[in-house]
Amino acid sequence: MHAIFNFMQELFTRENVTFAIAVFGAVGTAKSIFQSRKKVEFIPLGYTLNEDHDLIVHFEIINHSTTAISIVNISYIYDGKHYSCSKERAIAESIYHERRHVPALKDFYTQPFPLQLVGLGGTSEYIRFELPPEIHPDFSKPQTFQVSANRGKATEMTLLLSDSDSSSLHKFHIRTSIRSFFRK
């Protein structure tokens, strides 16, 4: 019994306890750094190029990291030139329908920036890009976008807009109910 007490006294010295707390803190810091890495997935749900030459893309955006993130800009890249998205709120799509013989027009709006995504959360957003009339993108080929957020450097992604199974994070591709709800 006396030997166990002496062993415990030698084990729990001030220096050893301080060292154990420091190691525990370092492990926790390293874990939070690797978990908070920016992992945002963009899934195209649909797109349109209207008569005003506005490219409107309907994205499902999923934050796979555990901390919140703010998306401050999305740019469409065509022939090396960046076209930043419109930051103000505008009508993206209007759908006419009748309910109980009453006609109704439902408007869907683009969201003003920055887009706020909670940790492990997602949203479905319309993003509008004002393109010059001389641009004629071939949407049968993958299109390039650049996303700027409050964490990390800007990230480029290449997506096939005509394929709703296209994703910016192929290894983290998750089927969600949002996709089937907003399919065009």
Side-chain angles (χ1 to χ4, degrees), residues 18-160:
T18 303
F19 179 72
I21 291 172
V23 168
F24 184 71
V27 168
T29 301
K31 181 181 176 198
S32 69
I33 287 173
F34 287 114
Q35 280 186 343
S36 69
R37 293 179 64 173
K38 181 174 67 172
K39 292 181 269 186
V40 179
E41 178 179 19
F42 283 76
I43 302 168
L45 300 177
Y47 72 94
T48 185
L49 187 63
N50 64 18
E51 61 275 353
D52 294 332
H53 233 67
D54 292 339
L55 172 63
I56 300 171
V57 183
H58 188 190
F59 282 117
E60 180 179 342
I61 307 169
I62 302 171
N63 182 7
H64 290 286
S65 62
T66 56
T67 56
I69 192 166
S70 294
I71 297 173
V72 294
N73 187 36
I74 301 174
S75 296
Y76 173 66
I77 302 173
Y78 184 80
D79 282 344
K81 187 161 178 168
H82 292 251
Y83 298 95
S84 185
C85 66
S86 179
K87 305 287 191 287
E88 70 272 355
R89 188 173 167 94
I91 294 176
E93 184 176 26
S94 296
I95 297 176
Y96 175 81
H97 63 90
E98 284 189 26
R99 183 173 292 177
R100 295 187 182 170
H101 305 292
V102 177
L105 186 65
K106 174 78 173 167
D107 292 329
F108 295 94
Y109 292 88
T110 61
Q111 289 299 317
F113 275 73
L115 297 176
Q116 307 289 335
L117 293 173
V118 297
L120 301 174
T123 185
S124 176
E125 301 294 344
Y126 289 93
I127 309 295
R128 183 171 65 107
F129 304 91
E130 297 173 1
L131 302 179
E134 63 269 7
I135 290 181
H136 302 287
D138 181 8
F139 292 112
S140 65
K141 296 179 180 172
Q143 305 298 310
T144 305
F145 297 89
Q146 184 180 50
V147 178
S148 301
N150 64 338
R151 291 198 329 250
K153 59 183 179 179
T155 306
E156 279 193 13
M157 58 186 172
T158 304
L159 301 170
L160 188 58

